[in-house]
Amino acid sequence: MTKIIQAVRGMKDILPDEAERWEAFESLVRDWLRGYGYRPMRMPLVEPTPLFKRAIGEVTDIVEKEMYTFGDAEESLTLRPEGTASCVRAVLEHNLLYDGPKRLWYMGPMFRRERPQKGRYRQFYQVGVEALGFAEPAMDAELILMGQRLWDDLDIHGVKLELNSLGSLEERARHRVDLVAYLEKHQDRLDEDSRRRLGSNPLRILDTKNPHMQELVEGAPRLTDYLGDASLAHFESVRQLLSDAGIPHRVNPRLVRGLDYYNRTVFEWVTDRLGAQGTICAGGRYDGLFEQLGGKPQPAAGFALGVERVLALWDEAQSAAFIESPDLYVVHDGEGAGRVAFSVAEELRDGGFAVQLHAGGGNFKAQMKRADGSGAKLALIVGEDEVRVDAVTVKPLRESRPQLRVARNELALHIADYLFGDEDEHDGNL
Ligand code: ATP
Ligand code: MG
């Protein structure tokens, strides 16, 4: 026998129990975003490779070693490793900001060839939220508040906010000079990646996860000390709005983010409940990206949240409350009964009920077991007796009430009454 083929390493199937939780999450997310005036976007999963090289930066983990890139007949293509670059590309291509700024969001898979581990996959999902064309610090603060509201909506506790300002390009350039001088003085303590980055992207060295370099990084010149008045004022204003909203935060001078396009505010929501993969949401301002992608300059800010990581924090029992079972499960025995059951199920769907019709045979006992497992509130029994009198037996599955034979033409009404009616009203009736 040949071996079965398995999914690609680091790419997961999301099976029905889990997928139902995802759907519940997605519908919560849609409501949450509508509450802030965001409109949906859907971009291709594949983009021209130069898009990510330009947007994310050549000297980043993603572009250097994590992208799924392949040659097509005409050009080099890449499975998107993140959404912001695609979103801004689409906005430029369709001139979406012609009549003013826009709040946009998207959700979908991203691809990075990383070492797979818990909370880190090669295909993972993000909800991306982008506020395009807005310069004011209030937008940075609103984006951060949105995160807090989502954790509250999901009843997730203990997610902490870390914040930093990366200032402007010029401020980073001045900081860079001193940082490089400092790191060159300590060349011997740099790991291989860092030594390579020293000449190209030294700021990223501060972002290292190598525990042996922590001390070195702690002692490095801090970008915060190089910020000019405008950047400082912007940062202060964001912090003020956060404290007005009662959102505690920690300024983390080492927070530089993995991607090159950020400036001014950067932030991460972190938890210690997920081990090393503790960042569940990250973002910031990226005023330079539009120009970098060949467009007219536009201020912008946004964030992306990692769906797998957020879902890992979302209580199973809580999410179960959002998952809906079918209303009805129809069981039947005999050929004539099977035909009647088939049309009864369709009639009830016409009436707006979610109906699962038993398929696959088996006696009534086995079928009732399925009915129970489906989570339906009622089983509808169609046997030969029922067919003879043009009726259906309705059996409550979640309460100890007696089953009742109901005429077929009154069936929908009875069921509606049972499912949505007043408690006392259908007492005894069904
Ligand atoms: P990390 O530091 O964990 O590698 P990152 O800085 O590379 O994250 P971003 O590019 O900012 O991540 O993406 C935003 C969010 O997407 C992250 O905070 C995380 O929740 C999620 N994420 C990123 N990479 C992965 C992955 N490989 N698997 C699962 N989730 C991920
Ligand atoms: Mg990463």
Side-chain angles (χ1 to χ4, degrees):
M1 217 166 72
T2 47
K3 258 178 44 183
I4 59 162
I5 294 173
Q6 296 193 331
V8 174
R9 194 164 107 87
M11 303 197 181
K12 282 201 313 179
D13 297 307
I14 298 157
L15 304 179
D17 281 348
E18 193 53 15
E20 281 176 341
R21 266 165 55 76
W22 280 61
E23 288 195 349
F25 173 73
E26 286 161 14
S27 86
L28 239 133
V29 159
R30 282 196 184 90
D31 290 346
W32 162 67
L33 286 158
R34 215 157 31 85
Y36 284 90
Y38 279 80
R39 298 186 64 201
M41 278 281 280
R42 296 185 188 215
M43 297 86 67
L45 301 192
V46 179
E47 295 278 3
T49 305
L51 173 67
F52 302 115
K53 292 197 171 168
R54 265 209 253 169
I56 299 171
E58 299 263 6
V59 195
T60 54
D61 282 346
I62 293 181
V63 171
E64 280 179 341
K65 51 192 185 201
E66 294 176 359
M67 295 205 304
Y68 286 93
T69 296
F70 52 95
D72 194 30
E74 293 111 46
E75 57 183 334
S76 171
L77 301 178
T78 293
L79 291 179
R80 64 179 186 193
E82 55 108 50
T84 303
S86 301
C87 184
V88 170
R89 192 239 348 111
V91 164
L92 284 172
E93 191 170 331
H94 303 284
N95 195 22
L96 271 191
L97 302 193
Y98 78 99
D99 63 345
K102 295 275 166 351
R103 288 175 167 93
L104 304 173
W105 76 277
Y106 48 83
M107 169 160 47
M110 307 295 161
F111 303 85
R112 298 182 193 176
R113 194 183 285 104
E114 307 199 61
R115 191 169 72 77
Q117 50 198 294
K118 196 166 181 306
R120 190 174 295 286
Y121 310 101
R122 290 181 167 182
Q123 174 173 330
F124 64 98
Y125 290 72
Q126 287 185 338
V127 172
V129 176
E130 319 285 2
L132 308 177
F134 301 94
E136 58 267 55
M139 188 50 74
D140 312 31
E142 184 183 282
L143 287 163
I144 295 171
L145 255 56
M146 289 177 75
Q148 182 61 57
R149 183 177 297 279
L150 185 63
W151 320 142
D152 291 346
D153 286 355
L154 295 167
D155 210 13
I156 294 175
H157 302 279
V159 189
K160 299 208 174 78
L161 175 63
E162 301 209 341
L163 200 64
N164 194 19
S165 175
L166 300 182
S168 65
L169 265 179
E170 301 75 50
E171 289 152 6
R172 280 209 295 282
R174 287 201 302 120
H175 168 255
R176 183 189 161 125
V177 174
D178 292 356
L179 178 65
V180 170
Y182 168 86
L183 293 171
E184 271 172 351
K185 223 168 50 194
H186 300 97
Q187 281 256 17
D188 51 318
R189 288 161 69 193
L190 296 179
D191 61 16
E192 200 190 305
D193 264 354
S194 305
R195 223 165 284 150
R196 198 161 35 82
R197 283 186 175 154
L198 192 52
S200 50
N201 195 349
L203 192 60
R204 289 294 320 285
I205 298 177
L206 301 182
D207 195 23
T208 178
K209 291 189 172 104
N210 183 347
H212 303 296
M213 284 180 43
Q214 296 310 312
E215 204 185 319
L216 179 69
V217 158
E218 291 293 343
R222 294 182 162 200
L223 183 49
T224 336
D225 299 328
Y226 293 77
L227 300 188
D229 289 344
S231 292
L232 279 175
H234 186 98
F235 195 39
E236 272 320 303
S237 174
V238 174
R239 297 190 62 192
Q240 184 62 55
L241 289 163
L242 292 180
S243 42
D244 288 354
I247 299 191
H249 60 273
R250 184 172 85 89
V251 175
N252 175 359
R254 292 194 32 213
L255 187 66
V256 295
R257 304 288 308 114
L259 318 179
D260 271 0
Y261 51 60
Y262 289 109
N263 70 306
R264 290 201 168 164
T265 320
V266 288
F267 62 90
E268 291 191 353
W269 288 99
V270 296
T271 162
D272 52 18
R273 282 167 56 199
L274 296 176
Q277 275 57 251
T279 305
I280 60 171
C281 176
R285 182 159 281 286
Y286 52 91
D287 296 333
L289 184 58
F290 275 75
E291 220 177 344
Q292 215 167 300
L293 293 182
K296 189 170 126 253
Q298 285 285 359
F303 64 81
L305 67 85
V307 175
E308 289 84 354
R309 295 186 194 177
V310 173
L311 280 171
L313 293 175
W314 195 23
D315 186 73
E316 298 259 349
Q318 290 251 353
S319 54
F322 291 89
I323 294 168
E324 288 184 54
S325 301
D327 301 315
L328 315 168
Y329 192 102
V330 183
V331 307
H332 51 90
D333 196 20
E335 200 188 311
R339 279 175 52 203
V340 172
F342 194 88
S343 62
V344 163
E346 273 301 298
E347 267 166 40
L348 291 169
R349 292 184 192 111
D350 287 342
F353 301 105
V355 187
Q356 198 168 325
L357 176 63
H358 181 81
N363 59 23
F364 270 130
K365 193 163 164 238
Q367 292 190 37
M368 285 306 290
K369 233 170 143 170
R370 291 291 177 107
D372 201 44
S374 74
K377 294 182 197 71
L378 295 171
L380 306 188
I381 303 164
V382 185
E384 262 145 36
D385 292 351
E386 279 84 1
V387 172
R388 213 170 302 119
V389 296
D390 203 23
V392 169
T393 298
V394 180
K395 181 178 165 57
L397 293 172
R398 313 293 149 200
E399 301 177 292
S400 54
R401 290 203 203 166
Q403 62 182 48
L404 198 80
R405 191 172 283 183
V406 180
R408 192 164 158 186
N409 60 6
E410 290 169 13
L411 191 57
L413 212 63
H414 270 267
I415 292 169
D417 215 35
Y418 180 88
L419 293 177
F420 317 116
D422 206 69
E423 275 295 310
D424 341 293
E425 232 177 80
H426 59 69
D427 232 12
N429 288 339
L430 182 82

mmCIF file of all heavy atoms in Angstrom, residues 61-62 66 112 114 120 209 258 309, ligand 2:
data_model
loop_
_atom_site.group_PDB
_atom_site.id
_atom_site.type_symbol
_atom_site.label_atom_id
_atom_site.label_comp_id
_atom_site.label_asym_id
_atom_site.label_seq_id
_atom_site.Cartn_x
_atom_site.Cartn_y
_atom_site.Cartn_z
ATOM 1 N N ASP A 61 14.680 39.207 8.195
ATOM 2 C CA ASP A 61 14.516 37.751 8.227
ATOM 3 C C ASP A 61 13.580 37.303 7.113
ATOM 4 O O ASP A 61 13.837 36.326 6.424
ATOM 5 C CB ASP A 61 13.920 37.311 9.567
ATOM 6 C CG ASP A 61 14.972 37.302 10.669
ATOM 7 O OD1 ASP A 61 16.173 37.374 10.330
ATOM 8 O OD2 ASP A 61 14.588 37.241 11.853
ATOM 9 N N ILE A 62 12.484 38.032 6.984
ATOM 10 C CA ILE A 62 11.466 37.605 6.020
ATOM 11 C C ILE A 62 12.053 37.534 4.613
ATOM 12 O O ILE A 62 11.984 36.506 3.953
ATOM 13 C CB ILE A 62 10.244 38.556 6.062
ATOM 14 C CG1 ILE A 62 9.509 38.421 7.393
ATOM 15 C CG2 ILE A 62 9.304 38.262 4.896
ATOM 16 C CD1 ILE A 62 8.287 39.307 7.523
ATOM 17 N N GLU A 66 12.788 33.786 4.571
ATOM 18 C CA GLU A 66 11.501 33.175 4.895
ATOM 19 C C GLU A 66 10.485 33.149 3.758
ATOM 20 O O GLU A 66 9.407 32.587 3.906
ATOM 21 C CB GLU A 66 10.876 33.893 6.106
ATOM 22 C CG GLU A 66 11.686 33.701 7.384
ATOM 23 C CD GLU A 66 11.155 34.474 8.579
ATOM 24 O OE1 GLU A 66 10.142 35.198 8.447
ATOM 25 O OE2 GLU A 66 11.761 34.360 9.656
ATOM 26 N N ARG A 112 5.456 32.066 5.633
ATOM 27 C CA ARG A 112 6.868 32.341 5.945
ATOM 28 C C ARG A 112 7.557 31.018 6.243
ATOM 29 O O ARG A 112 7.055 30.224 7.036
ATOM 30 C CB ARG A 112 6.992 33.256 7.178
ATOM 31 C CG ARG A 112 6.351 34.611 6.986
ATOM 32 C CD ARG A 112 6.554 35.501 8.219
ATOM 33 N NE ARG A 112 5.691 36.666 8.134
ATOM 34 C CZ ARG A 112 5.576 37.592 9.079
ATOM 35 N NH1 ARG A 112 6.288 37.471 10.201
ATOM 36 N NH2 ARG A 112 4.773 38.620 8.923
ATOM 37 N N GLU A 114 9.572 29.522 8.268
ATOM 38 C CA GLU A 114 10.229 29.620 9.565
ATOM 39 C C GLU A 114 10.353 28.224 10.142
ATOM 40 O O GLU A 114 9.778 27.274 9.616
ATOM 41 C CB GLU A 114 9.375 30.440 10.533
ATOM 42 C CG GLU A 114 8.978 31.797 10.002
ATOM 43 C CD GLU A 114 8.550 32.718 11.125
ATOM 44 O OE1 GLU A 114 9.389 32.987 12.005
ATOM 45 O OE2 GLU A 114 7.386 33.149 11.124
ATOM 46 N N ARG A 120 3.939 29.028 15.819
ATOM 47 C CA ARG A 120 4.730 29.532 14.692
ATOM 48 C C ARG A 120 4.610 28.541 13.538
ATOM 49 O O ARG A 120 5.042 27.402 13.646
ATOM 50 C CB ARG A 120 6.204 29.704 15.121
ATOM 51 C CG ARG A 120 7.057 30.439 14.094
ATOM 52 C CD ARG A 120 8.460 30.718 14.605
ATOM 53 N NE ARG A 120 8.491 31.630 15.736
ATOM 54 C CZ ARG A 120 8.290 32.944 15.650
ATOM 55 N NH1 ARG A 120 8.051 33.498 14.491
ATOM 56 N NH2 ARG A 120 8.332 33.696 16.725
ATOM 57 N N LYS A 209 16.878 37.722 18.965
ATOM 58 C CA LYS A 209 16.299 36.830 19.973
ATOM 59 C C LYS A 209 17.404 35.996 20.630
ATOM 60 O O LYS A 209 17.124 35.167 21.485
ATOM 61 C CB LYS A 209 15.232 35.943 19.335
ATOM 62 C CG LYS A 209 14.010 36.775 18.938
ATOM 63 C CD LYS A 209 12.825 35.948 18.505
ATOM 64 C CE LYS A 209 11.582 36.815 18.316
ATOM 65 N NZ LYS A 209 11.259 37.065 16.914
ATOM 66 N N GLY A 258 10.094 43.798 13.331
ATOM 67 C CA GLY A 258 10.829 43.027 12.331
ATOM 68 C C GLY A 258 10.891 43.634 10.936
ATOM 69 O O GLY A 258 11.728 43.268 10.143
ATOM 70 N N ARG A 309 -2.533 32.497 17.453
ATOM 71 C CA ARG A 309 -2.112 32.833 18.821
ATOM 72 C C ARG A 309 -3.261 33.409 19.632
ATOM 73 O O ARG A 309 -3.423 33.094 20.810
ATOM 74 C CB ARG A 309 -0.930 33.813 18.777
ATOM 75 C CG ARG A 309 0.307 33.167 18.146
ATOM 76 C CD ARG A 309 1.526 34.065 18.212
ATOM 77 N NE ARG A 309 2.574 33.568 17.317
ATOM 78 C CZ ARG A 309 3.728 34.175 17.111
ATOM 79 N NH1 ARG A 309 4.002 35.322 17.735
ATOM 80 N NH2 ARG A 309 4.613 33.657 16.288
HETATM 81 MG MG MG B 2 8.900 36.721 12.750
#
